[in-house]
Amino acid sequence: MRKHILSILLGLATTTTLSTPLPVQAEPQVYQLVSGKENLRLNEETFNVLESLGLSLASLENTVTPDPGFTVALPLLPPSDDPNVRGTTFTFSYDDETNTFIPLSGVEAFASRVIFNVNTAQLALEPQLVIGELSTAFSPDFEFFLFTGTIGNGLRLFDVVSPRPPLVDLENQIITPQSTEVRISQEFSDLLMAAGATESVAGLKIADVTGDKRFVEISTTKVPEPGSAIAILMVIGATLAMGKQRRVE
C-alpha cells in the first residue's frame, strides 16, 4: 500500500508543478470508519516457529464470528466521544473519479486481545504474554502497523503489508482491504530476542487479512489533519480541477 500511495502522490505533485495553478480547486471527500471487523487466516507455520522459540498461542479473546475460510475475526471498536474510552478514530480521503485513497489521521481500534503461553525455560518473560488494546495506525510515510497499548508503551507488534489500496464502495459505505498480510515487526522480534529467543522472527507472516469496515462521510473541518495531509489534499484538489477543465475543453 505504501508504494502505491507514494507513486500516486509523486505523480500528482509532478503534474501540479508543471501546470499553472487554477483559481478553483476541487476537494475529495473525507470519511471516518465507524464499525466492522477484520478476518484473519492464521499462518500455522509461523506459529510453529514461535512455539519452537518458547511462545505458543493460547487464545484470541473477544472475537466475532469470522467469514468462511478464516480462523478468527477482530471487531472494530466504534468511535467514542469520551477521551477515556478507546474507539476508532481513523479517517481517510477518497476521490471516486481518480480512485485515490489517502489515510489522514487516527487509528483503527480493536476489542480483542491475544494471549501467548511462555516457556520460561526458553524466554525470560512472564508465564503468559497478554497483548491487548490492539490498534492499527500508520506512519508519516504511510507504513501501516498493529501496536499494543499493554506492552512496551505502545509496542509495534506487526507490520500490515498490502500491494494495493483498499476497495472503497461509496454507495454502500464499505471499505475492504485487498491482498493484505500481517507480518511480525522488527520491534516484536527484538523483544523476543532480548528475552532469549535463538533466532529473529521479523518479517514472518502471521496472517492473511480481509474484512468489511463501514464508514461515514464527515466534514473536513472536524478532521485533525497533519500538515502533510493538508498539502496532499491541496495537490489532489488542483489535479482534479485540472482534469475537469480538460474534459470541458
Side-chain angles (χ1 to χ4, degrees), residues 147-188:
F147 69 92
T148 174
T150 59
I151 299 176
N153 192 27
L155 177 70
R156 178 169 174 164
L157 288 173
F158 310 116
D159 296 324
V160 181
V161 181
S162 178
R164 295 180 291 172
L167 295 174
V168 180
D169 182 347
L170 292 181
E171 181 178 355
N172 296 303
Q173 296 184 300
I174 293 175
I175 184 171
T176 306
Q178 298 188 82
S179 305
T180 301
E181 296 179 351
V182 175
R183 297 180 176 272
I184 297 177
S185 71
Q186 185 66 56
E187 290 83 352
F188 190 30

Side-chain angles (χ1 to χ4, degrees), residues 7 12-13 26 28-29 37 39 44 46 50 67-68 109 111 126 148 166 171 177 190 198 200 215 222 224 240:
S7 64
L12 292 176
Q29 297 298 317
K37 66 180 180 182
N39 298 291
E44 292 186 8
T46 295
L50 289 174
D67 291 346
E126 296 295 323
T148 174
E171 181 178 355
D190 289 344
T198 55
S200 172
F215 59 83
K222 295 181 180 180
L240 293 178

Side-chain angles (χ1 to χ4, degrees), residues 111-170:
S112 301
R113 67 175 186 167
V114 185
I115 301 177
F116 286 96
N117 288 329
V118 178
N119 184 336
T120 55
Q122 294 177 269
L123 297 173
L125 297 171
E126 296 295 323
Q128 281 197 328
L129 182 65
V130 181
I131 301 171
E133 297 182 9
L134 286 169
S135 300
T136 301
F138 63 94
S139 65
D141 55 353
F142 300 106
E143 287 183 325
F144 281 77
F145 57 91
L146 270 164
F147 69 92
T148 174
T150 59
I151 299 176
N153 192 27
L155 177 70
R156 178 169 174 164
L157 288 173
F158 310 116
D159 296 324
V160 181
V161 181
S162 178
R164 295 180 291 172
L167 295 174
V168 180
D169 182 347
L170 292 181

Side-chain angles (χ1 to χ4, degrees), residues 20-224:
T20 302
L22 299 173
V24 178
Q25 294 183 350
E27 290 188 0
Q29 297 298 317
V30 176
Y31 305 93
Q32 179 174 0
L33 293 185
V34 293
S35 64
K37 66 180 180 182
E38 287 199 341
N39 298 291
L40 280 71
R41 184 185 300 111
L42 301 183
N43 185 354
E44 292 186 8
E45 292 182 4
T46 295
F47 284 95
N48 289 339
V49 172
L50 289 174
E51 187 169 0
S52 70
L53 298 176
L55 201 66
S56 58
L57 181 65
S59 66
L60 274 164
E61 297 183 351
N62 301 323
T63 61
V64 293
T65 302
D67 291 346
F70 290 87
T71 314
V72 295
L74 308 182
L76 194 71
L77 289 172
S80 173
D81 293 327
D82 186 343
N84 297 315
V85 177
R86 288 183 68 234
T88 293
T89 58
F90 182 77
T91 62
F92 64 94
S93 167
Y94 181 73
D95 179 76
D96 58 344
E97 292 189 12
T98 60
N99 292 325
T100 302
F101 169 89
I102 299 175
L104 293 179
S105 64
V107 302
E108 297 176 335
F110 297 98
S112 301
R113 67 175 186 167
V114 185
I115 301 177
F116 286 96
N117 288 329
V118 178
N119 184 336
T120 55
Q122 294 177 269
L123 297 173
L125 297 171
E126 296 295 323
Q128 281 197 328
L129 182 65
V130 181
I131 301 171
E133 297 182 9
L134 286 169
S135 300
T136 301
F138 63 94
S139 65
D141 55 353
F142 300 106
E143 287 183 325
F144 281 77
F145 57 91
L146 270 164
F147 69 92
T148 174
T150 59
I151 299 176
N153 192 27
L155 177 70
R156 178 169 174 164
L157 288 173
F158 310 116
D159 296 324
V160 181
V161 181
S162 178
R164 295 180 291 172
L167 295 174
V168 180
D169 182 347
L170 292 181
E171 181 178 355
N172 296 303
Q173 296 184 300
I174 293 175
I175 184 171
T176 306
Q178 298 188 82
S179 305
T180 301
E181 296 179 351
V182 175
R183 297 180 176 272
I184 297 177
S185 71
Q186 185 66 56
E187 290 83 352
F188 190 30
S189 179
D190 289 344
L191 181 147
L192 297 180
M193 293 288 287
T198 55
E199 64 180 274
S200 172
V201 292
L204 294 185
K205 183 172 74 171
I206 285 286
D208 296 296
V209 180
T210 190
D212 293 337
K213 289 170 278 190
R214 296 192 174 274
F215 59 83
V216 296
E217 183 179 336
I218 62 174
S219 169
T220 55
T221 59
K222 295 181 180 180
V223 182

